[in-house]
Amino acid sequence: ELLPRLAMLRHLGCRILVGVSRKGFIGKLAAAPDPLHRLPGSIAAGLWAIQQGATILRVHDVPATVQALKVWRGIGAIG
């Protein structure tokens, strides 16, 4: 319930930590019942959370998430 409304929390003036890594909602949305098969969905949800104002991501797959963030930010810097 909070994730779709994350942008509303930006106005509180504090850092926002989001932990979406391998969560059940990703399994439901992506038809991935096994948490070990939810990395792409976890990265997508994390990038979305950053875009909505999250400042900290709690993740299981640090190297993959860091790479995704670097590419995502790099693409933004190009355009």
Side-chain angles (χ1 to χ4, degrees):
E1 294 209 18
L2 287 175
L3 205 52
R5 296 169 182 85
L6 196 59
M8 293 172 28
L9 299 176
R10 278 193 289 219
H11 307 292
L12 295 177
C14 56
R15 299 178 84 184
I16 301 170
L17 179 140
V18 174
V20 293
S21 194
R22 303 183 193 175
K23 295 293 187 251
F25 80 91
I26 294 169
K28 289 178 186 175
L29 290 173
D34 185 347
L36 295 177
H37 296 132
R38 297 180 189 165
L39 176 59
S42 295
I43 289 174
L47 293 176
W48 188 87
I50 292 291
Q51 185 176 18
Q52 298 304 307
T55 53
I56 306 165
L57 291 178
R58 182 205 167 272
V59 301
H60 295 290
D61 304 284
V62 175
T65 304
V66 168
Q67 183 184 63
L69 280 165
K70 285 181 181 178
V71 171
W72 182 70
R73 287 183 173 141
I75 291 169
I78 293 170

